[in-house]
Amino acid sequence: MSLLLLQTSDVKVRELETAATQLPARLDPLRRDLAKLQGMLDGEKAKLAETESWRKSQQELLEREREALKSAQSKLNASKNTKEYGAANREVENKRKSITDREAELKKVSEVATTSNTQLATRDKDVEGVRTQLAESEAGIADQLSSLTNALAEARVARDDARGKVDKEWLKIYDSLVGKRGYAVAPVIKGVCQGCHMALPPQ
């Protein structure tokens, strides 16, 4: 009876130890999801920053071209002959075309940036949602782990108490069997051992 009680205590300790070890791993999928989403978000933010930097530089070039257009128009107005007028006129037309093309390109980039900002806001919410879920799950796991730790401490005390009630010679045999098979005590039902499934002779 003492051996059976010891084995029951041992099994409970092992089960609680396994549960305590495996419990934190339940959060791994959620952590991977968060890392993946955060990586995507960081990548999109970096691309948007590059786009914004490019847009700013193009805006500065556009301002310079507008100034150059004013200068070209002044040359056109100050033309003294047909040759000067033709050259100045071509310069004005080239500047106007360059400005029109750059404005069109900047408009496209601005529209893309606006869309990206909207998507980033949505992605930010997704990341925050997963982060909140992870924090709540971590708190829940911490509570469960605390309960498991307390239960494990109690189970170990009960196991040590059960070991103290078994003769040392029997403990050696018990520990040897547990080390080999994982159990040492098995019930006999209708003359058959439920551990090795062998029929036992009446004697």
Side-chain angles (χ1 to χ4, degrees), residues 82-151:
T82 305
K83 185 178 179 181
E84 286 182 1
Y85 181 86
N89 191 52
R90 281 192 299 274
E91 187 179 355
V92 167
E93 289 304 315
N94 287 337
K95 293 297 180 186
R96 281 177 177 163
K97 184 178 183 308
S98 180
I99 288 171
T100 300
D101 291 345
R102 201 175 296 279
E103 285 176 339
E105 188 65 26
L106 277 169
K107 184 180 178 182
K108 288 179 184 177
V109 171
S110 294
E111 289 171 353
V112 169
T114 300
T115 302
S116 294
N117 274 317
T118 302
Q119 291 173 342
L120 278 176
T122 302
R123 187 85 71 191
D124 257 327
K125 287 181 181 178
D126 291 342
V127 169
E128 283 307 310
V130 175
R131 187 173 281 115
T132 299
Q133 185 182 352
L134 177 59
E136 291 172 352
S137 297
E138 284 175 336
I141 291 291
D143 288 341
Q144 291 178 52
L145 199 55
S146 177
S147 297
L148 273 175
T149 301
N150 292 335

Side-chain angles (χ1 to χ4, degrees), residues 129-198:
V130 175
R131 187 173 281 115
T132 299
Q133 185 182 352
L134 177 59
E136 291 172 352
S137 297
E138 284 175 336
I141 291 291
D143 288 341
Q144 291 178 52
L145 199 55
S146 177
S147 297
L148 273 175
T149 301
N150 292 335
L152 182 56
E154 292 175 5
R156 283 172 175 161
V157 169
R159 180 193 59 187
D160 292 344
D161 184 56
R163 285 183 70 86
K165 295 176 182 177
V166 178
D167 185 87
K168 289 183 179 179
E169 290 300 318
W170 283 110
L171 273 178
K172 288 180 182 178
I173 298 170
Y174 172 86
D175 290 336
S176 176
L177 288 171
V178 169
K180 292 175 182 176
R181 300 182 180 181
Y183 63 90
V185 183
V188 175
I189 300 176
K190 293 181 180 179
V192 178
C193 173
Q194 300 302 299
C196 61
H197 303 291
M198 291 179 64

Side-chain angles (χ1 to χ4, degrees), residues 26-73:
R26 292 184 189 177
L27 295 175
D28 288 348
L30 203 54
R31 289 194 178 103
R32 285 194 293 270
D33 288 345
L34 178 59
K36 184 178 179 181
L37 283 173
Q38 187 65 58
M40 292 171 65
L41 180 63
D42 291 343
E44 289 171 7
K45 283 182 177 178
K47 286 180 182 177
L48 185 60
E50 288 176 6
T51 300
E52 190 59 32
S53 178
W54 182 88
R55 189 192 67 77
K56 186 177 179 181
S57 67
Q58 293 301 302
Q59 190 67 47
E60 290 171 354
L61 286 173
L62 181 60
E63 292 301 321
R64 286 201 288 270
E65 286 181 345
R66 284 172 177 161
E67 290 298 321
L69 175 59
K70 290 179 182 178
S71 178
Q73 286 172 331

